[in-house]
Amino acid sequence: AGFRRIIHGHTPIPVDEIRASIKDPGCGLINIDGGCVYTSYPGLGNLVAIDLDSKELYVQKNIEEA
């Protein structure tokens, strides 16, 4: 068994919060929903992915015009 992490989306949060949860070794729940469609909200409007082997975060700002 051992320590496991759950990676999920659904609830948009700022990228800074996503980064903090990845860096926290005790965090068992990582939300990677950067709120890609919410471009008018500060900290949101990002498509986010994570490399599960390296824990590297990839962030792409939404570039679609409203």
Side-chain angles (χ1 to χ4, degrees), residues 11-52:
T11 305
I13 62 172
V15 173
D16 290 342
E17 290 182 35
I18 296 171
R19 282 193 179 100
S21 66
I22 292 169
K23 290 179 182 178
D24 180 355
C27 182
L29 189 63
I30 298 174
N31 177 2
I32 63 166
D33 188 338
C36 189
V37 299
Y38 301 111
T39 57
S40 61
Y41 293 90
L44 300 180
N46 299 291
L47 181 64
V48 180
I50 185 172
D51 180 324
L52 294 175

